[in-house]
Amino acid sequence: MKREQKEQVVDELTARLKAADTLLVADYRGLTMPQIDELRTRLLESGARFTVVKNTLTRRAAEAAGTDALLALLDGPSAIAFLEADGDMVAAAKALADSAKETKVLEIRGGVLSGRAVTAAEVENLASLPPADVLRGQVLGAIVAPLSACCGRRACRRGGGACG
């Protein structure tokens, strides 16, 4: 790769690192191209772009973007799932974790969540959460439940009586 090409790649990575709200880093060594393509498709559905990166160029881009937490995760062959603010980080973590379980080859190294470094275990915990829609439903249910519950008085309208 020529110097101009490397500079262009670093500039592109720097822009993507600045735009990304969440980064998930994995060691993809041993995955076949069909497995990588399937993972990319699953990640795209959650709003993430999965890119195999060259560590030396990514280090330069991370330093330029001020994403120093990423530097510790760049050891060996690396691929990064870039999530922007509108992406679903739980779904992306779940896609990576599922792929790691299915292939027994992919290894999640960790990530950067809103500028804070997260470990592989924290990414696994994130993957175990229910999808965002389910979480929203649970929160809404917790808010609405007391409003729709019967007060227990004999005169309650909901129970046949006259309360509120």
Side-chain angles (χ1 to χ4, degrees):
M1 196 184 282
K2 293 183 180 180
R3 183 180 176 144
E4 302 85 38
Q5 291 172 317
K6 289 180 182 179
E7 289 173 359
Q8 183 180 1
V9 169
V10 169
D11 290 343
E12 260 179 52
L13 279 171
T14 302
R16 286 177 73 185
L17 289 171
K18 286 181 179 178
D21 187 50
T22 303
L23 306 169
L24 300 173
V25 182
D27 182 340
Y28 68 95
R29 210 178 348 202
L31 287 179
T32 63
M33 280 311 295
Q35 289 171 325
I36 291 174
D37 289 341
E38 181 184 335
L39 178 57
R40 275 193 176 122
T41 302
R42 289 161 88 183
L43 286 167
L44 274 174
E45 291 169 0
S46 64
R49 290 177 43 200
F50 191 65
T51 306
V52 173
V53 296
K54 203 166 174 62
N55 288 345
T56 54
L57 301 179
T58 306
R59 279 190 185 93
R60 289 185 203 163
E63 289 168 357
T67 316
D68 296 330
L70 177 61
L71 297 174
L73 301 171
L74 299 174
D75 182 35
S78 301
I80 302 175
F82 294 88
L83 246 91
E84 294 186 14
D86 60 343
D88 184 351
M89 71 181 108
V90 173
K94 192 177 296 280
L96 276 176
D98 289 348
S99 182
K101 287 176 190 165
E102 291 167 9
T103 63
K104 299 190 183 351
V105 174
L106 182 78
E107 179 188 332
I108 299 172
R109 288 198 193 130
V112 179
L113 181 68
S114 300
R116 183 182 77 82
V118 292
T119 65
E122 289 172 314
V123 173
E124 294 282 343
N125 286 340
L126 192 60
S128 68
L129 290 174
D133 292 342
V134 173
L135 286 173
R136 285 187 198 106
Q138 289 173 343
V139 169
L140 186 59
I143 293 170
V144 172
L147 299 175
S148 62
C150 182
C151 67
R153 294 187 302 208
R154 276 200 311 176
C156 178
R157 203 176 341 165
R158 291 184 197 106
C163 86

